[in-house]
Amino acid sequence: MSSDRLIYLPLGGAGEIGMNAYVYGYGPQGKERLILVDLGVTFSDMETTPGVDLIFPDMTWLMENKDRLEAIYITHGHEDHIGAIGQFWEKLGAPVYARAFTANLARHKMRDQGQPEEAITTVSAWPETTEAGPFTVGFLPISHSIPESGALVIDTPAGRVIHTGDFKLDETPVVGEAFDPDLWASVASKGVKALVCDSTNVFSRAAGRSEVTVGPEIEKLVSSAPHMVVATTFASNVARVKTLAEAGERAGRSICLMGRAMRRMIEAAIETGVLKDFPTVVSPEDARAIPRENLMLLVTGSQGERRAASAQLARGKHNGMVLKEGDLFLFSSKTIPGNEKGVFRIINQLSEMGVDVVDDSSGLYHVSGHANRPDLERMQDIVNPQMVIPMHGEHRHLREHAKLSEAKGRQSVVAVNGTMVDLTGNEPKVTEFVETGRTYLDGSVKIGAMDGVVRDRIRMALNGHVIINVVLDEDDEPLGEAWVELMGLPETGRSFASLVDVLEADLTQFLGRAGAKTLADDDKLEENLRRIARNSAKDEIGKKPEATVIISRLS
């Protein structure tokens, strides 16, 4: 009897939404040959990760085992699935496979990071397959909110696994391939050991709607607008961008794309043949000369991103375009949890300008790219897997999806990041846990989430910062008084005296009474100066600031 095993190990994307990275392995325990599915990012926020540019999954385990890694497969081009490929490829070194549209985006990611574009191999859809050690992998077309999404059919000596990636069951998707239930049924007809499945919308009880349903409503809205129309959506949702552009064109408006990401996505879709017959667009420069009632802007920034076109327009001007009272601004998108503050800020700024804002609260102008609960049930019925492993979701999503699967008579398990699951037998078994976490891109440097950099930054943001300077002569006697500099602190406190003067007086008083041993010991002196400054500040302003002590000794 073979001792080889088939394992599944999420390093990101399970127990959270974002930074997807899933490992599959087959072989003897501890020596399995591996493939990686997706390598994505998530985005920072000012409350928990101030100053951080991007957040990656912790790839330490895989980098330590890169000699076992056969290949990397990218299911689709969303940032939470592709965004880290350029950042980590050099440390992993395996060939990368993706379909044409996704490969186009991946090559740009590689080029931006100085990595070889030839590491990306373009593959066609099922039934074409690639060999990667003990794995045979094919891309099975599935509809989503970005073109050419592909579920993965992963054949192993222990059986067939289908990794859905992100998906919805849309048979009229406007752009990209329609969901083909007959094709999926034929792929599943020989038996599927495990369906590793998107869980994002497991709590949505209504069946998902097709992309084609939003077009008429958007066209009706745009046609009735008396002045300029601006619409924002996810730049990667090429089908929605096309729907918006066509609605504007039919309403007699010229179309202008604003935002580098949106232009890049449309260019990639046209270059790879995914997008055909996109309406003619005008440049921002030409748009300024077009009567406002004959113009429609399609802009980036549906999630409140500060530097995107939507936010810049809300602050006053972008590319020479200015919004005016009576203009219409449409959010043809869903606000991702965590982004509400940024979106509401833009909505309120637009309202202050007199702009009429329409969001998705009516459900008329956006449909989700993820399968709702009835669609997840339908997917299980078509594939009829032996077991279902929920992925792509917060813990509550995974748990609910596992309960749904078990209610339908299938084995399931909740496997969050770092949970290694043995899929070899008749039921999934958790075999071990791998340490996982997050890696931050802070400027141009990657730092660990536990390194303390962001923690210190948050402390300074919450408490302010004081710099204490002391000079001692060659006999360890203070030369003059201590002096301080403040950052992020009020100038006066409860005593109505200058906070700088209060701190300097207390510190200088301590220096005058400190013993010779304390003055000769930098560590003890620093500890005492920091304690006194923080306690004095607490008395004056109710906060203990972070403190940096600089001791200079003259020789």
Side-chain angles (χ1 to χ4, degrees):
M1 182 176 178
S2 173
S3 61
D4 292 346
R5 64 176 186 169
L6 172 63
I7 59 169
Y8 161 76
L9 171 64
L11 297 177
E16 64 194 350
I17 294 178
M19 62 179 201
N20 295 274
Y22 307 94
V23 175
Y24 291 90
Y26 182 82
Q29 183 172 345
K31 298 181 180 179
E32 297 91 351
R33 304 306 297 174
L34 309 172
I35 59 172
L36 173 65
V37 176
D38 292 336
L39 187 48
V41 304
T42 193
F43 299 96
S44 63
D45 62 76
M46 288 302 293
E47 289 186 3
T48 61
T49 50
V52 169
D53 296 277
L54 290 172
I55 303 174
F56 308 126
D58 182 354
M59 301 303 291
T60 302
W61 183 88
L62 190 59
M63 289 188 291
E64 290 174 350
N65 292 280
K66 70 175 185 177
D67 59 317
R68 295 160 53 191
L69 182 62
E70 299 281 354
I72 301 169
Y73 293 88
I74 306 297
T75 59
H76 64 284
H78 277 148
E79 287 295 308
D80 61 330
H81 294 258
I82 197 177
I85 191 67
Q87 297 282 349
F88 282 100
W89 182 85
E90 188 173 22
K91 296 289 182 67
L92 298 174
V96 181
Y97 297 96
R99 298 186 63 194
F101 177 76
T102 306
N104 183 294
L105 301 178
R107 290 188 182 101
H108 279 269
K109 299 286 184 190
M110 294 287 277
R111 186 167 66 239
D112 289 346
Q113 297 301 318
Q115 302 301 321
E117 294 180 50
E118 57 270 22
I120 311 295
T121 299
T122 301
V123 294
S124 299
W126 185 268
E128 180 179 317
T129 59
T130 60
E131 303 291 329
F135 300 96
T136 301
V137 183
F139 286 80
L140 187 60
I142 188 73
S143 47
H144 186 40
S145 56
I146 192 171
E148 285 194 344
S149 287
L152 297 180
V153 180
I154 305 171
D155 284 323
T156 78
R160 174 168 284 183
V161 175
I162 295 182
H163 181 104
T164 66
D166 295 4
F167 78 97
K168 64 183 294 187
L169 304 184
D170 192 342
E171 298 182 30
T172 52
V174 178
V175 173
E177 297 133 321
F179 174 65
D180 185 345
D182 294 335
L183 173 61
W184 275 72
S186 69
V187 170
S189 62
K190 294 181 180 179
V192 173
K193 173 173 279 291
L195 177 69
V196 182
C197 191
D198 180 3
S199 308
T200 311
N201 282 356
V202 68
F203 289 106
S204 298
R205 302 235 169 217
R209 292 163 50 219
S210 171
E211 178 65 31
V212 77
T213 63
V214 301
E217 297 296 338
I218 290 174
E219 185 173 348
K220 195 183 305 179
L221 178 70
V222 174
S223 296
S224 65
H227 304 297
M228 187 168 73
V229 174
V230 183
T232 185
T233 189
F234 299 99
S236 59
N237 193 340
V238 173
R240 184 67 48 74
V241 176
K242 183 182 182 185
T243 295
L244 290 163
E246 289 178 340
E249 185 179 55
R250 283 194 286 268
R253 295 175 181 267
S254 297
I255 308 301
C256 177
L257 301 180
M258 284 190 173
R260 185 170 61 91
M262 186 171 288
R263 292 194 300 270
R264 175 74 199 97
M265 282 290 176
I266 297 301
E267 288 168 2
I270 293 171
E271 287 172 10
T272 55
V274 166
L275 183 60
K276 298 177 175 64
D277 303 322
F278 192 79
T280 301
V281 299
V282 298
S283 68
E285 294 74 20
D286 291 339
R288 296 172 205 154
I290 296 172
R292 300 174 61 79
E293 64 275 13
N294 296 333
L295 185 61
M296 182 174 181
L297 310 181
L298 304 184
V299 302
T300 54
S302 66
Q303 300 305 301
E305 300 94 324
R306 286 181 175 272
R307 290 179 289 182
S310 292
Q312 294 195 49
L313 285 168
R315 289 196 295 267
K317 182 185 289 189
H318 181 57
N319 279 345
M321 301 300 300
V322 177
L323 292 173
K324 296 183 178 180
E325 185 171 356
D327 288 343
L328 174 70
F329 196 107
L330 168 64
F331 281 85
S332 183
S333 56
K334 177 183 178 181
T335 302
I336 296 172
N339 294 341
E340 294 90 350
K341 284 186 178 179
V343 172
F344 290 154
R345 181 180 62 249
I346 289 174
I347 290 174
N348 280 312
Q349 287 172 326
L350 293 171
S351 180
E352 289 169 8
M353 294 178 177
V355 174
D356 297 322
V357 179
V358 177
D359 61 21
D360 184 49
S361 55
S362 66
L364 295 176
Y365 309 112
H366 175 69
V367 293
S368 175
H370 295 272
N372 290 355
R373 189 184 190 94
D375 309 312
L376 295 174
E377 293 182 292
R378 184 184 174 202
M379 174 62 83
Q380 288 194 30
D381 292 341
I382 292 171
V383 174
N384 193 27
Q386 184 176 344
M387 60 186 81
V388 175
I389 312 298
M391 56 95 178
H392 200 287
E394 297 167 357
H395 192 281
R396 64 192 179 98
H397 298 108
L398 305 186
R399 185 165 176 262
E400 183 67 17
H401 196 175
K403 288 164 64 177
L404 168 66
S405 304
E406 289 165 354
K408 292 179 71 65
R410 297 185 174 92
Q411 299 286 337
S412 191
V413 67
V414 175
V416 297
N417 295 339
T419 307
M420 186 179 292
V421 182
D422 188 339
L423 304 176
T424 314
N426 292 323
E427 60 179 336
K429 293 182 179 179
V430 175
T431 61
E432 60 187 275
F433 295 93
V434 169
E435 187 172 337
T436 58
R438 295 182 164 205
T439 300
Y440 298 148
L441 180 67
D442 194 46
S444 59
V445 179
K446 296 188 188 73
I447 59 174
M450 304 304 291
D451 287 356
V453 175
V454 172
R455 181 190 61 224
D456 290 346
R457 193 174 291 159
I458 292 172
R459 284 177 175 172
M460 286 190 285
L462 292 173
N463 301 316
H465 189 217
V466 56
I467 301 172
I468 305 161
N469 295 273
V470 172
V471 178
L472 304 171
D473 65 16
E474 61 271 16
D475 297 321
D476 298 328
E477 291 295 326
L479 279 179
E481 300 178 341
W483 75 94
V484 303
E485 300 173 55
L486 305 179
M487 295 181 66
L489 293 168
E491 293 183 1
T492 58
R494 290 180 182 140
S495 66
F496 301 106
S498 163
L499 181 58
V500 167
D501 291 345
V502 171
L503 296 182
E504 288 181 346
D506 289 349
L507 291 166
T508 300
Q509 187 180 59
F510 162 76
L511 290 172
R513 68 172 186 267
K517 286 186 177 180
T518 298
L519 292 172
D521 187 327
D522 281 0
D523 290 339
K524 283 185 178 179
L525 183 57
E526 180 179 331
E527 180 185 344
N528 280 280
L529 291 168
R530 179 180 289 108
R531 175 179 53 80
I532 290 167
R534 298 186 78 216
N535 288 340
S536 295
K538 175 72 173 176
D539 291 340
E540 281 291 306
I541 62 173
K543 279 181 176 290
K544 286 188 174 183
E546 300 303 301
T548 299
V549 179
I550 302 172
I551 301 172
S552 302
R553 294 183 180 274
L554 301 180
S555 56

